[in-house]
Amino acid sequence: MNKQAPFSVDGVSIHSKYAPEKQAERFIQNNTDYVSTRTILVVGDGYGYVSAAAKNRFPSAKIISIYVSNHQPDFPHSWWNPFQNNPLYAFLRMNLHYSDLIGLKVLFWPPGCRVLEKNIPSVMEIIHNSIQMNQKELATIGFFGRQFLLHAARKIKRTIIGAEHLIARPPIIATSGPSLDSDLPTLKQFRSKIHLNVVSSALSPLLKAGIIPDSITATDAGFHAAQMLNSLLSHNSNYNLSSIPIICSPQAAIPSEIQNPIILSGDQNSPEGRLLDSAISLPIPILGTVTASAFSALKSAQLQPIFFAGLDLGTHNGKSHAQNHYSQKYSLERNHRFLPLETQSYIRSRGDSSSLEIYRKWFSSYCDNKAGDLWTSPYSASNLPKTTVQQFLNQHPLSNTIPTSLKNLQSQDKSLHNTTSTTIHLMNEEVRNCLNTWAETGMLPHYPAAGLELLVYTAYPALHCKLEDMPRNQAISQAHDDWMRCSNKISEYQNA
């Protein structure tokens, strides 16, 4: 027995008094698969014995530890304890990347977990939610990643302009919540005094009301997101709708028939952002909703504070969207006797999803920290700060400035073709190096290893396969082929 070795927390024995190292080694051996374990999340470790045993057995694995004591680890790894000022959810967001879930093993050390749950009742829920959010992100990127890259590649030949072409007037963002119907008369009244940005899902209601926006925001890569922009082609107007700039992320789906100039916004470090890096004039983080992206883009353009019309973040008066929303057309196409329009409307009105709850928290948290930056209409069903458009304009610093106008729409970066060629070549090298590491060590490198995200984007099934389903050499070969098909397609779009 090592009398100097600590083994208890709050009077509860966390480790063996006699052989804590041996106890931890047996626990690791009995609860891990040597073949597939790549990342280990240790929950409830007391004094580092379990984490050290995990590192000894898996020297190449990434170790993330949640301690129950105020222990200071003696080997480098990501760790957290309840005595830190940093909240657990923030620690996990920073240290558990979605790619870490490939080969992830979560180890719950029972004595420590009991103490953790006693002191922090929500600890297991926080861990579960963090892993679940990463699972959703990994599944989305694994399924849509190739599409993200190809959508970005298609923008190389488009007319790309800079954010300086946005009209500098007090900005109002029109979103597609049901309260937009009540806001339309006010938007018409003050139309000449504002910069009206519309998210793609609210474009049809706005045009049907005879209101022409100054800019459009589009971020989603899906088929239906692209269809929402087709209102620009079908709407009869004396105004040249093709001159309205679209603020879009690299991965946004924009139909080829729509030739509006685009202003690129997004994360320059994401794989799709790297393809268009030099042309992104509104650098913003990746956000999960087009509304939050529109807000961040206009903030990046120095147009704040910002007013929202139609921002309800939920159903309102039994409706999920404004009149003339794309979903109504989609519902008509799906209408049949087993799923009539009334039933579809009822299902949507009851559909306050978990994603809406996340957005509600995001906007509420922002307003708590940045009071005065964000305002909503008095008709909004949300709990966000409210004001009238007249009051908003009276207080906005851009109300008394002479607005700039859109002139001489030129491509922002004529060297984009050359820089993209260099980026593609670099990406090919990164993928090859990543696959070589996998072949030599038997394990994929960890984020932020160059090439890892590119493989997740294009070859997720091969990365996630088990050895009994596919030998490692075969998985590596398939991952290489999957990436090269995407790389060649990017080059094809670039040179078209």
Side-chain angles (χ1 to χ4, degrees):
M1 173 180 177
N2 183 357
K3 294 183 178 180
Q4 301 300 317
F7 58 86
S8 65
V9 175
D10 295 342
V12 177
S13 295
I14 303 297
H15 302 289
S16 165
K17 298 180 182 180
Y18 300 95
E21 294 91 350
K22 290 291 184 183
Q23 181 191 37
E25 287 174 11
R26 286 195 299 270
F27 176 76
I28 295 297
Q29 290 173 0
N30 294 335
N31 290 279
T32 53
D33 178 356
Y34 192 80
V35 174
S36 62
T37 303
R38 176 172 167 266
T39 305
I40 301 177
L41 174 61
V42 180
V43 182
D45 197 356
Y47 294 95
Y49 298 115
V50 181
S51 301
K55 190 64 177 177
N56 289 337
R57 181 167 170 78
F58 301 96
S60 299
K62 178 178 179 179
I63 310 296
I64 304 171
S65 300
I66 298 173
Y67 289 100
V68 68
S69 70
N70 195 14
H71 174 66
Q72 299 293 320
D74 54 6
F75 72 95
H77 67 296
S78 301
W79 58 276
W80 179 90
N81 68 46
F83 301 91
Q84 295 177 354
N85 292 326
N86 190 30
L88 177 57
Y89 73 86
F91 166 80
L92 290 172
R93 188 171 66 240
M94 290 294 296
N95 291 279
L96 186 64
H97 189 257
Y98 65 79
S99 63
D100 292 331
L101 269 62
I102 300 173
L104 172 68
K105 182 67 179 180
V106 184
L107 298 176
F108 296 97
W109 183 243
C113 287
R114 286 194 290 271
V115 176
L116 267 179
E117 289 185 284
K118 179 182 177 182
N119 295 333
I120 311 173
S122 61
V123 63
M124 295 304 170
E125 181 183 358
I126 293 170
I127 295 169
H128 175 267
N129 289 343
S130 176
I131 293 174
Q132 188 177 56
M133 287 184 67
N134 276 294
Q135 285 174 332
K136 289 179 180 179
E137 187 172 3
L138 181 61
T140 300
I141 289 175
F143 188 81
F144 288 108
R146 185 175 184 273
Q147 194 172 341
F148 289 174
L149 289 168
L150 296 182
H151 283 331
R154 290 186 181 99
K155 293 178 178 65
I156 296 170
K157 296 292 186 178
R158 283 187 171 271
T159 300
I160 302 174
I161 62 174
E164 67 273 8
H165 289 287
L166 292 172
I167 298 176
R169 284 197 292 246
I172 293 182
I173 298 175
T175 66
S176 58
S179 67
L180 178 64
D181 296 332
S182 302
D183 286 321
L184 291 176
T186 306
L187 294 181
K188 279 186 176 182
Q189 178 185 351
F190 293 98
R191 179 63 192 88
S192 63
K193 298 180 179 180
I194 61 175
H195 176 107
L196 182 57
N197 174 271
V198 57
V199 301
S200 54
S201 57
L203 181 59
S204 179
L206 219 65
L207 294 179
K208 289 282 178 65
I211 303 173
I212 307 299
D214 293 304
S215 61
I216 303 163
T217 300
T219 60
D220 296 334
F223 169 81
H224 294 294
Q227 295 303 301
M228 291 176 185
L229 293 172
N230 280 333
S231 299
L232 292 169
L233 302 174
S234 59
H235 183 71
N236 294 320
S237 172
N238 294 325
Y239 186 85
N240 181 15
L241 299 181
S242 64
S243 67
I244 302 172
I246 301 175
I247 303 172
C248 65
S249 59
Q251 75 269 19
I254 301 178
S256 58
E257 299 83 2
I258 294 174
Q259 293 299 313
N260 295 54
I262 62 174
I263 298 173
L264 285 170
S265 68
D267 182 3
Q268 293 165 304
N269 295 316
S270 67
E272 63 273 21
R274 289 175 61 192
L275 286 175
L276 300 167
D277 181 12
S278 61
I280 293 177
S281 59
L282 293 172
I284 62 172
I286 294 175
L287 299 165
T289 164
V290 64
T291 303
S293 297
F295 177 69
S296 295
L298 293 187
K299 269 196 67 191
S300 181
Q302 304 297 312
L303 297 182
Q304 75 269 24
I306 295 168
F307 184 97
F308 279 96
L311 183 62
D312 297 293
L313 300 174
T315 57
H316 183 48
N317 293 332
K319 297 195 300 181
S320 59
H321 295 99
Q323 288 295 321
N324 297 310
H325 184 265
Y326 171 79
S327 62
Q328 294 177 350
K329 174 178 178 292
Y330 183 59
S331 297
L332 285 171
E333 294 172 352
R334 299 172 63 214
N335 182 37
H336 53 79
R337 65 191 181 96
F338 296 114
L339 192 62
L341 291 175
E342 293 80 4
T343 301
Q344 294 184 50
S345 178
Y346 175 76
I347 292 172
R348 284 197 303 273
S349 71
R350 304 282 292 179
D352 269 16
S353 64
S354 58
S355 59
L356 276 177
E357 179 61 27
I358 292 172
Y359 302 151
R360 278 193 287 268
K361 289 180 179 178
W362 188 90
F363 280 105
S364 295
S365 174
Y366 183 90
C367 290
D368 290 342
N369 295 320
K370 297 285 183 71
D373 258 11
L374 185 157
W375 298 95
T376 60
S377 157
Y379 298 108
S380 170
S382 72
N383 293 322
L384 302 177
K386 294 178 173 58
T387 189
T388 65
V389 172
Q390 182 65 70
Q391 291 171 330
F392 172 73
L393 293 177
N394 289 342
Q395 299 172 6
H396 202 286
L398 292 177
S399 290
N400 299 320
T401 61
I402 300 175
T404 57
S405 59
L406 293 172
K407 294 181 180 178
N408 302 320
L409 299 185
Q410 301 291 330
S411 178
Q412 186 198 29
D413 191 345
K414 297 182 183 299
S415 65
L416 182 58
H417 184 279
N418 294 332
T419 58
T420 303
S421 296
T422 302
T423 301
I424 295 170
H425 177 75
L426 179 61
M427 286 178 166
N428 289 338
E429 287 296 316
E430 291 171 354
V431 167
R432 275 193 287 269
N433 291 336
C434 190
L435 293 175
N436 287 339
T437 299
W438 189 9
E440 292 167 3
T441 66
M443 185 180 294
L444 279 167
H446 286 91
Y447 181 83
L452 176 64
E453 279 194 296
L454 298 172
L455 286 171
V456 176
Y457 268 57
T458 57
Y460 175 63
L463 307 186
H464 199 58
C465 71
K466 297 181 179 179
L467 286 182
E468 56 265 29
D469 300 328
M470 185 187 302
R472 186 168 72 242
N473 289 342
Q474 184 181 341
I476 292 172
S477 177
Q478 180 177 316
H480 174 268
D481 292 345
D482 288 343
W483 162 254
M484 288 309 301
R485 274 193 292 271
C486 183
S487 176
N488 292 336
K489 198 69 175 177
I490 293 170
S491 296
E492 181 183 320
Y493 286 140
Q494 179 195 19
N495 298 318

